[in-house]
Amino acid sequence: MRLLIVDDSRSSLALIGSIIGEVVSGEIELCLNPREAIQLCREHQYDLVIVDHIMPEMDGIEFTAVLRARPAYSLVPIVMVTSDADRTVRIEAIRAGASDFLQKPFDPTELQARVANLLALRKAQVQLADRAQWLAREVERATAHLLAREEEIIYRLARAIEYRDGDTGEHVSRVAQISQLIAEGIGLPQDRCRMIYLAAPLHDIGKIGIADAILSKPGKLTAEEFARMQEHVTIGARILERGTSELIKTAELIAQSHHERWDGTGYPDRLSGTDIPVEARIVAIADVFDALCSERPYKAAWTVEAAYAEIIRCSGSHFDPACVAAFRAKWPEINALIGGDTLPQVAGL
């Protein structure tokens, strides 16, 4: 433990230091000037401070108030040594933050006992704080482990659904990464961008409830089949509804609304504009773009240039213009992600 004694009298400093040194094995520092003592407290952490009441420049009460204002000293014991028996002085000192008093002339045995007790209390306090910090770290580590497991399960589930849809499973990974880039592009906080990245792979989880004959049909769907295919968003939302984690709640928003259109002609609820959750508006672009670039049973893959141009063309009709602008701003990173070699030469780029 580390002690600081502040007194403008050299003899008093020496006496108090000597008496305390008989029972304390820790480091004891002596200071004649209270302002210098404040600076020492800024530079070092002491476990007990003993200060005289009457000193030039700054008295013990002011010193105590200044020290208590520092967060590192909000709980450190401060003992005021005073020859003044006035009750008003004691009340002012208590209000300033003094923990204990020692009346001059003091009894050496009493001084040693008071210091020993206060240091024992301080030691227990430090140990408790250390224990609390350790527990906080352990909780943080355990929480991170649980989140990592949740993220892994979600990603593997999403890949399984993509395999059932006839894809290699890479579609969900690309949609997640493109969605994160767009989210960053429109200025969402990093934690929200990360959440969208993690939730995006579940955008088509509802396809688990759609018949294979529809999912894998090589030709154009009939009106009845297309209506059935549209139900995958509602199925997905039902699978994810009433989630307790932020990740599942975000995934539900995306699953429910990623086929809505900015102009209100999408499905299932014909939402428009900002009534569509921003998470869904972001994933809508990533999903359509990667789907256009991918081969499906019912269509050949579009070129990257053509897919890019389609996203730009649909700004303000299918897609949120702000999200499209972010898509354009992040295009070099998106292009690299999908393996494109050059930037599409599109008017206005």
Side-chain angles (χ1 to χ4, degrees), residues 150-163 165 167 169-180 192-208 232 236 239-240 247-248 250-256 258 279-280 282-284 286-287 290:
E150 181 184 32
E151 292 168 11
E152 181 182 4
I153 290 170
I154 285 175
Y155 181 70
R156 293 186 182 278
L157 174 61
R159 291 197 68 183
I161 294 165
E162 285 299 313
Y163 274 108
D165 195 18
D167 196 75
E170 295 306 316
H171 171 67
V172 294
S173 178
R174 291 191 298 267
V175 168
Q177 293 177 75
I178 294 171
S179 295
Q180 183 174 28
R192 200 168 178 194
C193 294
R194 172 73 175 168
M195 194 61 63
I196 291 172
Y197 166 78
L198 295 171
L202 291 180
H203 65 283
D204 276 340
I205 190 174
K207 285 184 177 179
I208 200 170
H232 81 276
I239 291 172
L240 298 167
L247 178 51
I248 297 301
T250 302
E252 181 187 355
L253 290 175
I254 293 170
Q256 173 74 22
H258 72 284
E279 297 86 352
I282 289 169
V283 174
D287 183 34
D290 193 73

Short mmCIF file of all heavy atoms in Angstrom, two decimals, residues 150-163 165 167 169-180 192-208 232 236 239-240 247-248 250-256 258 279-280 282-284 286-287 290:
data_model
loop_
_atom_site.label_atom_id
_atom_site.label_comp_id
_atom_site.label_asym_id
_atom_site.label_seq_id
_atom_site.Cartn_x
_atom_site.Cartn_y
_atom_site.Cartn_z
N GLU A 150 -23.88 -18.28 -31.72
CA GLU A 150 -25.13 -17.89 -32.36
C GLU A 150 -24.89 -17.51 -33.81
O GLU A 150 -25.64 -17.92 -34.71
CB GLU A 150 -25.76 -16.72 -31.61
CG GLU A 150 -27.09 -16.26 -32.20
CD GLU A 150 -27.65 -15.03 -31.50
OE1 GLU A 150 -26.85 -14.19 -31.04
OE2 GLU A 150 -28.88 -14.89 -31.45
N GLU A 151 -23.84 -16.73 -34.04
CA GLU A 151 -23.51 -16.30 -35.40
C GLU A 151 -23.18 -17.49 -36.29
O GLU A 151 -23.60 -17.55 -37.45
CB GLU A 151 -22.34 -15.33 -35.36
CG GLU A 151 -22.68 -14.00 -34.69
CD GLU A 151 -21.47 -13.16 -34.39
OE1 GLU A 151 -20.36 -13.52 -34.89
OE2 GLU A 151 -21.58 -12.16 -33.65
N GLU A 152 -22.42 -18.43 -35.75
CA GLU A 152 -22.03 -19.61 -36.55
C GLU A 152 -23.25 -20.45 -36.92
O GLU A 152 -23.40 -20.90 -38.06
CB GLU A 152 -21.02 -20.46 -35.79
CG GLU A 152 -20.57 -21.68 -36.59
CD GLU A 152 -19.60 -22.56 -35.83
OE1 GLU A 152 -19.32 -22.27 -34.65
OE2 GLU A 152 -19.13 -23.55 -36.42
N ILE A 153 -24.14 -20.65 -35.95
CA ILE A 153 -25.34 -21.45 -36.22
C ILE A 153 -26.19 -20.78 -37.30
O ILE A 153 -26.69 -21.44 -38.22
CB ILE A 153 -26.15 -21.64 -34.91
CG1 ILE A 153 -25.39 -22.57 -33.96
CG2 ILE A 153 -27.53 -22.20 -35.21
CD1 ILE A 153 -25.98 -22.63 -32.56
N ILE A 154 -26.35 -19.47 -37.20
CA ILE A 154 -27.16 -18.74 -38.18
C ILE A 154 -26.54 -18.85 -39.57
O ILE A 154 -27.24 -19.10 -40.56
CB ILE A 154 -27.31 -17.27 -37.76
CG1 ILE A 154 -28.31 -17.17 -36.61
CG2 ILE A 154 -27.74 -16.39 -38.92
CD1 ILE A 154 -28.46 -15.80 -36.03
N TYR A 155 -25.23 -18.67 -39.65
CA TYR A 155 -24.58 -18.74 -40.95
C TYR A 155 -24.70 -20.13 -41.57
O TYR A 155 -24.99 -20.26 -42.77
CB TYR A 155 -23.11 -18.35 -40.81
CG TYR A 155 -22.36 -18.38 -42.12
CD1 TYR A 155 -22.61 -17.43 -43.10
CD2 TYR A 155 -21.41 -19.37 -42.38
CE1 TYR A 155 -21.94 -17.46 -44.32
CE2 TYR A 155 -20.74 -19.40 -43.60
CZ TYR A 155 -21.00 -18.44 -44.55
OH TYR A 155 -20.33 -18.48 -45.75
N ARG A 156 -24.52 -21.16 -40.77
CA ARG A 156 -24.60 -22.52 -41.30
C ARG A 156 -26.04 -22.86 -41.71
O ARG A 156 -26.26 -23.54 -42.72
CB ARG A 156 -24.06 -23.52 -40.29
CG ARG A 156 -22.57 -23.36 -40.07
CD ARG A 156 -22.00 -24.45 -39.16
NE ARG A 156 -20.57 -24.22 -38.94
CZ ARG A 156 -19.61 -24.59 -39.79
NH1 ARG A 156 -19.94 -25.19 -40.93
NH2 ARG A 156 -18.34 -24.36 -39.52
N LEU A 157 -27.00 -22.38 -40.95
CA LEU A 157 -28.40 -22.58 -41.31
C LEU A 157 -28.71 -21.90 -42.65
O LEU A 157 -29.36 -22.48 -43.53
CB LEU A 157 -29.32 -22.04 -40.22
CG LEU A 157 -30.82 -22.05 -40.51
CD1 LEU A 157 -31.31 -23.47 -40.74
CD2 LEU A 157 -31.59 -21.40 -39.35
N ALA A 158 -28.22 -20.67 -42.80
CA ALA A 158 -28.46 -19.93 -44.04
C ALA A 158 -27.82 -20.63 -45.23
O ALA A 158 -28.42 -20.72 -46.32
CB ALA A 158 -27.91 -18.51 -43.90
N ARG A 159 -26.64 -21.16 -45.05
CA ARG A 159 -25.98 -21.88 -46.15
C ARG A 159 -26.75 -23.15 -46.51
O ARG A 159 -26.86 -23.50 -47.69
CB ARG A 159 -24.54 -22.24 -45.76
CG ARG A 159 -23.61 -21.05 -45.65
CD ARG A 159 -22.16 -21.44 -45.68
NE ARG A 159 -21.79 -21.95 -47.02
CZ ARG A 159 -20.59 -22.42 -47.31
NH1 ARG A 159 -19.65 -22.47 -46.39
NH2 ARG A 159 -20.31 -22.86 -48.53
N ALA A 160 -27.29 -23.83 -45.50
CA ALA A 160 -28.07 -25.04 -45.77
C ALA A 160 -29.29 -24.70 -46.62
O ALA A 160 -29.64 -25.44 -47.56
CB ALA A 160 -28.50 -25.69 -44.46
N ILE A 161 -29.93 -23.59 -46.33
CA ILE A 161 -31.11 -23.16 -47.10
C ILE A 161 -30.70 -22.85 -48.54
O ILE A 161 -31.41 -23.21 -49.49
CB ILE A 161 -31.76 -21.93 -46.44
CG1 ILE A 161 -32.32 -22.33 -45.06
CG2 ILE A 161 -32.87 -21.36 -47.32
CD1 ILE A 161 -32.65 -21.14 -44.19
N GLU A 162 -29.55 -22.19 -48.73
CA GLU A 162 -29.09 -21.88 -50.07
C GLU A 162 -28.78 -23.14 -50.88
O GLU A 162 -29.06 -23.22 -52.07
CB GLU A 162 -27.84 -20.99 -50.00
CG GLU A 162 -28.15 -19.56 -49.63
CD GLU A 162 -29.07 -18.89 -50.63
OE1 GLU A 162 -28.83 -19.01 -51.85
OE2 GLU A 162 -30.04 -18.26 -50.19
N TYR A 163 -28.20 -24.14 -50.24
CA TYR A 163 -27.94 -25.40 -50.93
C TYR A 163 -29.25 -26.02 -51.42
O TYR A 163 -29.34 -26.56 -52.51
CB TYR A 163 -27.21 -26.37 -50.01
CG TYR A 163 -25.71 -26.21 -50.02
CD1 TYR A 163 -25.04 -25.66 -48.92
CD2 TYR A 163 -24.95 -26.59 -51.13
CE1 TYR A 163 -23.67 -25.51 -48.92
CE2 TYR A 163 -23.57 -26.45 -51.14
CZ TYR A 163 -22.93 -25.91 -50.03
OH TYR A 163 -21.57 -25.76 -50.04
N ASP A 165 -31.78 -24.42 -52.27
CA ASP A 165 -32.27 -23.59 -53.37
C ASP A 165 -31.44 -23.78 -54.63
O ASP A 165 -31.63 -23.09 -55.62
CB ASP A 165 -32.21 -22.12 -52.93
CG ASP A 165 -33.02 -21.21 -53.84
OD1 ASP A 165 -33.89 -21.71 -54.57
OD2 ASP A 165 -32.78 -20.00 -53.80
N ASP A 167 -28.11 -23.36 -54.86
CA ASP A 167 -26.93 -22.51 -54.90
C ASP A 167 -25.79 -23.20 -54.17
O ASP A 167 -25.98 -24.19 -53.46
CB ASP A 167 -27.23 -21.15 -54.25
CG ASP A 167 -26.18 -20.11 -54.60
OD1 ASP A 167 -26.21 -19.62 -55.72
OD2 ASP A 167 -25.34 -19.82 -53.73
N GLY A 169 -24.17 -21.94 -51.76
CA GLY A 169 -24.09 -21.44 -50.39
C GLY A 169 -23.28 -20.17 -50.28
O GLY A 169 -23.27 -19.52 -49.24
N GLU A 170 -22.58 -19.76 -51.35
CA GLU A 170 -21.78 -18.54 -51.31
C GLU A 170 -22.64 -17.29 -51.46
O GLU A 170 -22.20 -16.19 -51.13
CB GLU A 170 -20.72 -18.58 -52.40
CG GLU A 170 -19.68 -19.69 -52.21
CD GLU A 170 -19.03 -19.65 -50.84
OE1 GLU A 170 -18.67 -18.54 -50.39
OE2 GLU A 170 -18.91 -20.71 -50.21
N HIS A 171 -23.83 -17.44 -51.99
CA HIS A 171 -24.73 -16.29 -52.18
C HIS A 171 -24.95 -15.56 -50.86
O HIS A 171 -24.87 -14.32 -50.80
CB HIS A 171 -26.06 -16.75 -52.77
CG HIS A 171 -27.13 -15.70 -52.81
ND1 HIS A 171 -27.06 -14.58 -53.60
CD2 HIS A 171 -28.30 -15.60 -52.11
CE1 HIS A 171 -28.14 -13.84 -53.42
NE2 HIS A 171 -28.90 -14.43 -52.52
N VAL A 172 -25.24 -16.31 -49.80
CA VAL A 172 -25.54 -15.67 -48.52
C VAL A 172 -24.33 -14.91 -47.98
O VAL A 172 -24.46 -13.86 -47.36
CB VAL A 172 -26.05 -16.69 -47.47
CG1 VAL A 172 -27.38 -17.26 -47.88
CG2 VAL A 172 -25.03 -17.80 -47.22
N SER A 173 -23.14 -15.46 -48.23
CA SER A 173 -21.93 -14.78 -47.77
C SER A 173 -21.72 -13.46 -48.51
O SER A 173 -21.41 -12.43 -47.90
CB SER A 173 -20.72 -15.70 -47.97
OG SER A 173 -19.53 -15.04 -47.58
N ARG A 174 -21.92 -13.49 -49.83
CA ARG A 174 -21.75 -12.26 -50.61
C ARG A 174 -22.82 -11.22 -50.26
O ARG A 174 -22.53 -10.02 -50.15
CB ARG A 174 -21.78 -12.58 -52.10
CG ARG A 174 -20.57 -13.36 -52.60
CD ARG A 174 -20.54 -13.41 -54.11
NE ARG A 174 -21.70 -14.12 -54.66
CZ ARG A 174 -21.73 -15.41 -54.94
NH1 ARG A 174 -20.66 -16.17 -54.71
NH2 ARG A 174 -22.82 -15.98 -55.45
N VAL A 175 -24.06 -11.67 -50.08
CA VAL A 175 -25.14 -10.74 -49.70
C VAL A 175 -24.81 -10.08 -48.37
O VAL A 175 -25.00 -8.87 -48.19
CB VAL A 175 -26.49 -11.47 -49.64
CG1 VAL A 175 -27.55 -10.59 -48.96
CG2 VAL A 175 -26.96 -11.85 -51.03
N ALA A 176 -24.29 -10.86 -47.42
CA ALA A 176 -23.95 -10.31 -46.11
C ALA A 176 -22.86 -9.25 -46.24
O ALA A 176 -22.95 -8.16 -45.65
CB ALA A 176 -23.48 -11.43 -45.18
N GLN A 177 -21.83 -9.53 -47.02
CA GLN A 177 -20.71 -8.60 -47.15
C GLN A 177 -21.11 -7.33 -47.92
O GLN A 177 -20.74 -6.22 -47.53
CB GLN A 177 -19.55 -9.29 -47.85
CG GLN A 177 -18.92 -10.41 -47.02
CD GLN A 177 -17.82 -11.14 -47.76
OE1 GLN A 177 -16.73 -10.62 -47.92
NE2 GLN A 177 -18.12 -12.34 -48.24
N ILE A 178 -21.88 -7.50 -48.98
CA ILE A 178 -22.34 -6.33 -49.74
C ILE A 178 -23.27 -5.48 -48.87
O ILE A 178 -23.21 -4.24 -48.89
CB ILE A 178 -23.03 -6.76 -51.04
CG1 ILE A 178 -22.02 -7.43 -51.98
CG2 ILE A 178 -23.67 -5.56 -51.75
CD1 ILE A 178 -22.65 -8.09 -53.20
N SER A 179 -24.13 -6.13 -48.11
CA SER A 179 -25.04 -5.40 -47.22
C SER A 179 -24.27 -4.57 -46.21
O SER A 179 -24.62 -3.42 -45.93
CB SER A 179 -25.97 -6.38 -46.49
OG SER A 179 -26.82 -7.05 -47.40
N GLN A 180 -23.22 -5.14 -45.65
CA GLN A 180 -22.42 -4.40 -44.68
C GLN A 180 -21.77 -3.18 -45.33
O GLN A 180 -21.74 -2.09 -44.73
CB GLN A 180 -21.34 -5.30 -44.08
CG GLN A 180 -20.52 -4.61 -42.99
CD GLN A 180 -19.55 -5.55 -42.30
OE1 GLN A 180 -19.10 -6.54 -42.88
NE2 GLN A 180 -19.23 -5.29 -41.05
N ARG A 192 -24.37 -1.46 -35.84
CA ARG A 192 -25.55 -1.77 -36.64
C ARG A 192 -25.16 -2.38 -37.99
O ARG A 192 -25.84 -3.28 -38.49
CB ARG A 192 -26.36 -0.50 -36.87
CG ARG A 192 -27.82 -0.77 -37.25
CD ARG A 192 -28.63 0.48 -37.18
NE ARG A 192 -30.01 0.26 -37.58
CZ ARG A 192 -30.86 1.22 -37.88
NH1 ARG A 192 -30.47 2.48 -37.78
NH2 ARG A 192 -32.09 0.94 -38.23
N CYS A 193 -24.06 -1.90 -38.56
CA CYS A 193 -23.56 -2.50 -39.80
C CYS A 193 -23.21 -3.97 -39.57
O CYS A 193 -23.50 -4.83 -40.41
CB CYS A 193 -22.31 -1.75 -40.28
SG CYS A 193 -22.62 -0.04 -40.79
N ARG A 194 -22.58 -4.21 -38.44
CA ARG A 194 -22.21 -5.59 -38.10
C ARG A 194 -23.46 -6.46 -37.93
O ARG A 194 -23.50 -7.62 -38.36
CB ARG A 194 -21.39 -5.58 -36.81
CG ARG A 194 -21.08 -6.94 -36.20
CD ARG A 194 -20.06 -7.69 -36.98
NE ARG A 194 -19.69 -8.94 -36.31
CZ ARG A 194 -19.00 -9.91 -36.87
NH1 ARG A 194 -18.56 -9.77 -38.11
NH2 ARG A 194 -18.71 -11.00 -36.22
N MET A 195 -24.49 -5.90 -37.29
CA MET A 195 -25.72 -6.65 -37.08
C MET A 195 -26.39 -7.01 -38.40
O MET A 195 -26.90 -8.12 -38.59
CB MET A 195 -26.66 -5.84 -36.19
CG MET A 195 -27.83 -6.64 -35.63
SD MET A 195 -27.31 -8.03 -34.58
CE MET A 195 -26.50 -7.13 -33.25
N ILE A 196 -26.40 -6.07 -39.34
CA ILE A 196 -26.98 -6.34 -40.66
C ILE A 196 -26.17 -7.42 -41.37
O ILE A 196 -26.74 -8.31 -42.01
CB ILE A 196 -27.02 -5.03 -41.48
CG1 ILE A 196 -28.06 -4.07 -40.87
CG2 ILE A 196 -27.35 -5.31 -42.95
CD1 ILE A 196 -28.05 -2.68 -41.47
N TYR A 197 -24.87 -7.34 -41.26
CA TYR A 197 -23.99 -8.36 -41.86
C TYR A 197 -24.33 -9.76 -41.33
O TYR A 197 -24.38 -10.73 -42.08
CB TYR A 197 -22.53 -8.02 -41.55
CG TYR A 197 -21.56 -9.13 -41.83
CD1 TYR A 197 -21.16 -9.42 -43.13
CD2 TYR A 197 -21.04 -9.89 -40.78
CE1 TYR A 197 -20.26 -10.45 -43.38
CE2 TYR A 197 -20.15 -10.92 -41.02
CZ TYR A 197 -19.76 -11.19 -42.33
OH TYR A 197 -18.87 -12.22 -42.57
N LEU A 198 -24.57 -9.85 -40.03
CA LEU A 198 -24.86 -11.14 -39.42
C LEU A 198 -26.26 -11.64 -39.73
O LEU A 198 -26.49 -12.85 -39.85
CB LEU A 198 -24.67 -11.05 -37.90
CG LEU A 198 -23.25 -10.77 -37.41
CD1 LEU A 198 -23.25 -10.48 -35.92
CD2 LEU A 198 -22.33 -11.94 -37.73
N ALA A 199 -27.22 -10.71 -39.85
CA ALA A 199 -28.62 -11.11 -40.06
C ALA A 199 -28.96 -11.35 -41.52
O ALA A 199 -29.87 -12.13 -41.83
CB ALA A 199 -29.55 -10.03 -39.48
N ALA A 200 -28.24 -10.69 -42.43
CA ALA A 200 -28.57 -10.78 -43.85
C ALA A 200 -28.63 -12.21 -44.40
O ALA A 200 -29.48 -12.50 -45.25
CB ALA A 200 -27.57 -9.95 -44.66
N PRO A 201 -27.75 -13.13 -43.97
CA PRO A 201 -27.81 -14.48 -44.52
C PRO A 201 -29.15 -15.19 -44.33
O PRO A 201 -29.45 -16.14 -45.05
CB PRO A 201 -26.69 -15.21 -43.77
CG PRO A 201 -25.71 -14.15 -43.45
CD PRO A 201 -26.55 -12.95 -43.12
N LEU A 202 -29.96 -14.72 -43.40
CA LEU A 202 -31.26 -15.37 -43.16
C LEU A 202 -32.38 -14.74 -43.97
O LEU A 202 -33.55 -15.04 -43.74
CB LEU A 202 -31.60 -15.32 -41.67
CG LEU A 202 -30.73 -16.18 -40.75
CD1 LEU A 202 -31.19 -16.03 -39.30
CD2 LEU A 202 -30.77 -17.64 -41.15
N HIS A 203 -32.05 -13.89 -44.95
CA HIS A 203 -33.11 -13.18 -45.67
C HIS A 203 -34.08 -14.13 -46.37
O HIS A 203 -35.27 -13.83 -46.49
CB HIS A 203 -32.50 -12.20 -46.68
CG HIS A 203 -31.74 -12.84 -47.79
ND1 HIS A 203 -30.46 -13.34 -47.63
CD2 HIS A 203 -32.06 -13.07 -49.09
CE1 HIS A 203 -30.04 -13.83 -48.78
NE2 HIS A 203 -30.98 -13.69 -49.69
N ASP A 204 -33.61 -15.29 -46.83
CA ASP A 204 -34.48 -16.23 -47.55
C ASP A 204 -34.77 -17.50 -46.75
O ASP A 204 -35.07 -18.54 -47.32
CB ASP A 204 -33.84 -16.61 -48.89
CG ASP A 204 -34.15 -15.60 -49.98
OD1 ASP A 204 -35.12 -14.83 -49.83
OD2 ASP A 204 -33.41 -15.58 -50.98
N ILE A 205 -34.71 -17.41 -45.42
CA ILE A 205 -34.94 -18.59 -44.60
C ILE A 205 -36.33 -19.18 -44.84
O ILE A 205 -36.55 -20.38 -44.71
CB ILE A 205 -34.75 -18.27 -43.10
CG1 ILE A 205 -34.76 -19.57 -42.27
CG2 ILE A 205 -35.79 -17.28 -42.59
CD1 ILE A 205 -34.42 -19.35 -40.81
N GLY A 206 -37.28 -18.34 -45.26
CA GLY A 206 -38.64 -18.82 -45.51
C GLY A 206 -38.74 -19.79 -46.68
O GLY A 206 -39.75 -20.50 -46.82
N LYS A 207 -37.70 -19.86 -47.52
CA LYS A 207 -37.74 -20.80 -48.64
C LYS A 207 -37.75 -22.25 -48.19
O LYS A 207 -38.04 -23.16 -48.98
CB LYS A 207 -36.55 -20.55 -49.57
CG LYS A 207 -36.70 -19.30 -50.41
CD LYS A 207 -35.55 -19.13 -51.39
CE LYS A 207 -35.75 -17.91 -52.27
NZ LYS A 207 -34.62 -17.72 -53.22
N ILE A 208 -37.44 -22.46 -46.92
CA ILE A 208 -37.52 -23.81 -46.38
C ILE A 208 -38.95 -24.34 -46.44
O ILE A 208 -39.19 -25.55 -46.41
CB ILE A 208 -36.98 -23.83 -44.92
CG1 ILE A 208 -36.58 -25.25 -44.52
CG2 ILE A 208 -37.98 -23.24 -43.94
CD1 ILE A 208 -35.82 -25.32 -43.22
N HIS A 232 -42.57 -16.98 -49.18
CA HIS A 232 -41.37 -17.30 -48.40
C HIS A 232 -41.01 -16.17 -47.44
O HIS A 232 -40.42 -16.41 -46.39
CB HIS A 232 -40.19 -17.64 -49.32
CG HIS A 232 -39.48 -16.44 -49.88
ND1 HIS A 232 -39.92 -15.78 -51.02
CD2 HIS A 232 -38.35 -15.79 -49.49
CE1 HIS A 232 -39.08 -14.79 -51.28
NE2 HIS A 232 -38.13 -14.77 -50.38
N GLY A 236 -40.63 -16.85 -43.56
CA GLY A 236 -39.39 -16.48 -42.89
C GLY A 236 -39.63 -15.62 -41.67
O GLY A 236 -39.01 -15.83 -40.61
N ILE A 239 -40.91 -17.75 -38.85
CA ILE A 239 -39.84 -18.55 -38.26
C ILE A 239 -39.04 -17.73 -37.25
O ILE A 239 -38.64 -18.22 -36.19
CB ILE A 239 -38.91 -19.11 -39.35
CG1 ILE A 239 -39.65 -20.16 -40.19
CG2 ILE A 239 -37.65 -19.73 -38.74
CD1 ILE A 239 -38.88 -20.63 -41.42
N LEU A 240 -38.83 -16.46 -37.57
CA LEU A 240 -37.96 -15.60 -36.76
C LEU A 240 -38.69 -14.71 -35.76
O LEU A 240 -38.05 -14.03 -34.97
CB LEU A 240 -37.14 -14.70 -37.69
CG LEU A 240 -36.19 -15.43 -38.65
CD1 LEU A 240 -35.68 -14.47 -39.72
CD2 LEU A 240 -35.04 -16.07 -37.90
N LEU A 247 -29.99 -9.78 -32.96
CA LEU A 247 -29.67 -10.41 -34.23
C LEU A 247 -30.90 -11.03 -34.87
O LEU A 247 -31.19 -10.82 -36.06
CB LEU A 247 -28.58 -11.47 -34.01
CG LEU A 247 -28.14 -12.29 -35.22
CD1 LEU A 247 -27.78 -11.40 -36.39
CD2 LEU A 247 -26.98 -13.18 -34.83
N ILE A 248 -31.67 -11.78 -34.10
CA ILE A 248 -32.87 -12.43 -34.65
C ILE A 248 -33.94 -11.40 -34.98
O ILE A 248 -34.65 -11.52 -35.99
CB ILE A 248 -33.42 -13.47 -33.65
CG1 ILE A 248 -32.38 -14.58 -33.44
CG2 ILE A 248 -34.72 -14.08 -34.17
CD1 ILE A 248 -31.99 -15.31 -34.71
N THR A 250 -33.40 -8.35 -36.03
CA THR A 250 -32.97 -7.73 -37.29
C THR A 250 -33.23 -8.67 -38.45
O THR A 250 -33.70 -8.25 -39.52
CB THR A 250 -31.48 -7.37 -37.22
OG1 THR A 250 -31.26 -6.49 -36.11
CG2 THR A 250 -31.02 -6.69 -38.49
N ALA A 251 -32.93 -9.94 -38.25
CA ALA A 251 -33.16 -10.94 -39.31
C ALA A 251 -34.64 -11.02 -39.67
O ALA A 251 -34.99 -11.20 -40.85
CB ALA A 251 -32.64 -12.30 -38.86
N GLU A 252 -35.53 -10.89 -38.69
CA GLU A 252 -36.97 -10.93 -38.96
C GLU A 252 -37.38 -9.75 -39.86
O GLU A 252 -38.14 -9.92 -40.82
CB GLU A 252 -37.76 -10.88 -37.66
CG GLU A 252 -39.27 -10.93 -37.88
CD GLU A 252 -40.08 -10.71 -36.61
OE1 GLU A 252 -39.48 -10.60 -35.52
OE2 GLU A 252 -41.32 -10.65 -36.71
N LEU A 253 -36.87 -8.55 -39.56
CA LEU A 253 -37.19 -7.38 -40.38
C LEU A 253 -36.75 -7.60 -41.83
O LEU A 253 -37.48 -7.28 -42.77
CB LEU A 253 -36.48 -6.14 -39.82
CG LEU A 253 -36.98 -5.58 -38.48
CD1 LEU A 253 -36.07 -4.44 -38.04
CD2 LEU A 253 -38.42 -5.10 -38.59
N ILE A 254 -35.56 -8.15 -41.98
CA ILE A 254 -35.03 -8.36 -43.32
C ILE A 254 -35.83 -9.43 -44.06
O ILE A 254 -36.20 -9.25 -45.23
CB ILE A 254 -33.54 -8.76 -43.23
CG1 ILE A 254 -32.71 -7.57 -42.72
CG2 ILE A 254 -33.02 -9.23 -44.59
CD1 ILE A 254 -31.28 -7.91 -42.36
N ALA A 255 -36.09 -10.55 -43.40
CA ALA A 255 -36.83 -11.63 -44.03
C ALA A 255 -38.22 -11.17 -44.47
O ALA A 255 -38.71 -11.52 -45.55
CB ALA A 255 -36.94 -12.82 -43.07
N GLN A 256 -38.87 -10.35 -43.66
CA GLN A 256 -40.23 -9.90 -43.93
C GLN A 256 -40.29 -8.88 -45.07
O GLN A 256 -41.23 -8.90 -45.88
CB GLN A 256 -40.83 -9.27 -42.66
CG GLN A 256 -42.19 -8.59 -42.85
CD GLN A 256 -43.33 -9.58 -43.00
OE1 GLN A 256 -43.21 -10.73 -42.59
NE2 GLN A 256 -44.42 -9.14 -43.61
N HIS A 258 -37.55 -7.66 -47.38
CA HIS A 258 -36.50 -7.44 -48.38
C HIS A 258 -37.01 -7.50 -49.82
O HIS A 258 -36.28 -7.19 -50.76
CB HIS A 258 -35.33 -8.41 -48.19
CG HIS A 258 -35.62 -9.84 -48.56
ND1 HIS A 258 -36.38 -10.68 -47.77
CD2 HIS A 258 -35.25 -10.58 -49.64
CE1 HIS A 258 -36.46 -11.87 -48.34
NE2 HIS A 258 -35.77 -11.84 -49.49
N GLU A 279 -32.84 -1.87 -42.84
CA GLU A 279 -32.10 -3.13 -42.99
C GLU A 279 -32.56 -3.89 -44.23
O GLU A 279 -31.75 -4.45 -44.97
CB GLU A 279 -32.29 -4.00 -41.74
CG GLU A 279 -31.75 -3.42 -40.46
CD GLU A 279 -32.71 -2.49 -39.73
OE1 GLU A 279 -33.77 -2.17 -40.30
OE2 GLU A 279 -32.40 -2.11 -38.59
N ALA A 280 -33.88 -3.89 -44.45
CA ALA A 280 -34.44 -4.59 -45.61
C ALA A 280 -34.11 -3.85 -46.90
O ALA A 280 -33.86 -4.47 -47.94
CB ALA A 280 -35.95 -4.73 -45.45
N ILE A 282 -31.46 -2.18 -47.53
CA ILE A 282 -30.05 -2.47 -47.83
C ILE A 282 -29.89 -3.86 -48.42
O ILE A 282 -29.27 -4.04 -49.48
CB ILE A 282 -29.21 -2.33 -46.54
CG1 ILE A 282 -29.11 -0.87 -46.14
CG2 ILE A 282 -27.83 -2.96 -46.71
CD1 ILE A 282 -28.54 -0.65 -44.75
N VAL A 283 -30.49 -4.85 -47.77
CA VAL A 283 -30.34 -6.23 -48.22
C VAL A 283 -31.01 -6.44 -49.56
O VAL A 283 -30.56 -7.26 -50.38
CB VAL A 283 -30.88 -7.21 -47.15
CG1 VAL A 283 -30.88 -8.65 -47.66
CG2 VAL A 283 -30.06 -7.10 -45.87
N ALA A 284 -32.07 -5.70 -49.85
CA ALA A 284 -32.76 -5.83 -51.15
C ALA A 284 -31.78 -5.61 -52.30
O ALA A 284 -31.77 -6.36 -53.28
CB ALA A 284 -33.91 -4.84 -51.23
N ALA A 286 -28.38 -5.80 -52.19
CA ALA A 286 -27.35 -6.84 -52.19
C ALA A 286 -27.89 -8.15 -52.75
O ALA A 286 -27.22 -8.84 -53.53
CB ALA A 286 -26.83 -7.03 -50.76
N ASP A 287 -29.11 -8.49 -52.36
CA ASP A 287 -29.73 -9.75 -52.81
C ASP A 287 -29.97 -9.74 -54.31
O ASP A 287 -29.61 -10.69 -55.02
CB ASP A 287 -31.03 -9.96 -52.03
CG ASP A 287 -31.70 -11.29 -52.38
OD1 ASP A 287 -30.99 -12.27 -52.66
OD2 ASP A 287 -32.95 -11.32 -52.39
N ASP A 290 -26.55 -9.74 -56.38
CA ASP A 290 -25.84 -11.02 -56.43
C ASP A 290 -26.66 -12.08 -57.16
O ASP A 290 -26.10 -12.94 -57.85
CB ASP A 290 -25.50 -11.51 -55.02
CG ASP A 290 -24.52 -12.66 -55.04
OD1 ASP A 290 -23.33 -12.41 -55.32
OD2 ASP A 290 -24.94 -13.81 -54.82
#
